[in-house]
DNA sequence: TCTTGAAGCTATAGCCACTAGAGCAATTAG
DNA sequence: CTAATTGCTCTAGTGGCTATAGCTTCAAGA
């Protein structure tokens, strides 16, 4: 059995994060010691490691919740799991495309700035007028 | 003079967002009508358009606050403005690198999955064990 | 056995950049 | 003049944590 601190060190997840995951129902409530401290079975480590790894790959917690639910039914088709991963891949690709456009604009404005005064600064000028931009950065979330 | 709604339509910024910018001190408090409604001068449109465009390019509001402050001093050197843009460029590039690594991992797991049952699903398997990964996704924020 | 320090507990608030909603008051078009 | 729209303030919620305060419990050393 693990204390919350040992579990956190084993999975490299911070203790308040573990409690947060429990609070939102991503981790089941563990048993408690006589003094009311959480005691985790070994299986909790697998589950937490799965969550951590999926987070590192950018999956939102809702998707992770679904994936964990699916992994509890090993005999079912994995189509739903694959669909979640594909949605995540699409989201990642979308972000990359938008970030590359931003990268291009930022490069351009910095290249074009002669580093004089603010009144001649190409950075300030471009930020003030999108007509100076090569791309259309639609207002969507960059997260 | 613009009402908040007209200003928002002109700059394509939502009305509550304008009030939020005022609240955090990014936009100055405008004069009010006899009935306590905000009335903006034309200059507010430039300022708001600047903010919107900088946000579209991913600048955080704190950086935008600094840029607006700098743009009020046209005779000073633009080095500080350029530095803010360069920091933003670095941040964007950093995100792109990390997202490309994620893209690769997600592609790999999807390619390798034979789309059978969950117990054979490569997606679930990879998420459960980082040893299956080609990259080291350090835990840093993907924002 | 006693003590001390680390680790645990709950509860609350904060982060960013908004967004949504309630319940009103003011303005504007017909 | 009326009705629809727009405006006002205030509060709370989003995601995924992180930080703090003020307490209790546990584990190791003397
Ligand atoms: Zn410059
Ligand atoms: Zn632009
Ligand atoms: Zn699969
Ligand atoms: Zn991995």
């Amino acid at each position: 059995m693990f204390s919350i601190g040992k579990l956190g060190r084993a999975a490299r997840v911070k203790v308040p994060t573990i409690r947060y995951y429990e609070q939102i129902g991503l981790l089941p409530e563990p048993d408690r010691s006589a003094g009311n401290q959480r005691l985790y079975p070994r299986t909790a480590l697998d589950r937490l490691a799965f969550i951590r790894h999926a987070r590192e790959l950018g999956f939102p917690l809702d998707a992770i919740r679904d994936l964990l639910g699916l992994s509890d039914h090993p005999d079912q088709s994995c189509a739903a799991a694959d669909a979640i991963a594909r949605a995540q891949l699409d989201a990642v690709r979308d972000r990359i495309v938008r970030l590359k456009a931003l990268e291009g604009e930022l490069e351009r404005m910095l290249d074009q700035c002669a580093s004089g005064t603010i009144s001649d600064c190409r950075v300030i000028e471009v930020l003030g007028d999108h007509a100076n931009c090569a791309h259309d950065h639609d207002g969507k979330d960059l997260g």
Side-chain angles (χ1 to χ4, degrees), chain A:
Chain A
M1 301 293 271
F2 296 88
S3 70
I4 196 170
K6 274 187 191 169
L7 180 67
R9 277 190 298 279
R12 276 171 300 170
V13 173
K14 286 174 188 157
V15 166
T17 304
I18 298 174
R19 287 196 281 246
Y20 170 71
Y21 288 162
E22 178 183 324
Q23 191 192 318
I24 63 168
L26 206 56
L27 286 175
E29 292 185 27
D31 292 339
R32 300 286 184 126
S33 74
N36 197 36
Q37 305 198 351
R38 291 170 179 82
L39 285 179
Y40 294 92
R42 181 162 301 272
T43 54
L45 179 53
D46 293 338
R47 196 174 174 94
L48 185 54
F50 185 101
I51 295 171
R52 177 183 176 238
H53 197 209
R55 284 294 300 133
E56 285 175 343
L57 287 160
F59 287 87
L61 292 180
D62 272 359
I64 296 173
R65 193 193 311 271
D66 291 346
L67 288 167
L68 284 167
L70 290 168
S71 74
D72 288 339
H73 301 286
D75 294 333
Q76 288 187 7
S77 153
C78 79
D82 291 11
I84 291 170
R86 191 163 300 279
Q88 174 64 13
L89 175 57
D90 289 347
V92 166
R93 284 181 172 154
D94 201 60
R95 284 195 221 166
I96 290 172
V97 167
R98 282 187 280 115
L99 285 169
K100 285 206 153 195
L102 298 198
E103 183 190 24
E105 297 297 350
L106 291 164
E107 278 170 352
R108 251 165 42 93
M109 69 174 78
L110 280 162
D111 283 354
Q112 292 175 7
C113 182
S115 296
T117 63
I118 288 281
S119 58
D120 300 320
C121 180
R122 184 67 177 166
V123 170
I124 299 289
E125 191 183 347
V126 172
L127 289 178
D129 188 358
H130 172 63
N132 293 304
C133 282
H135 304 82
D136 252 13
H137 15 253
D138 47 5
K140 288 192 183 175
D141 186 20
L142 287 173

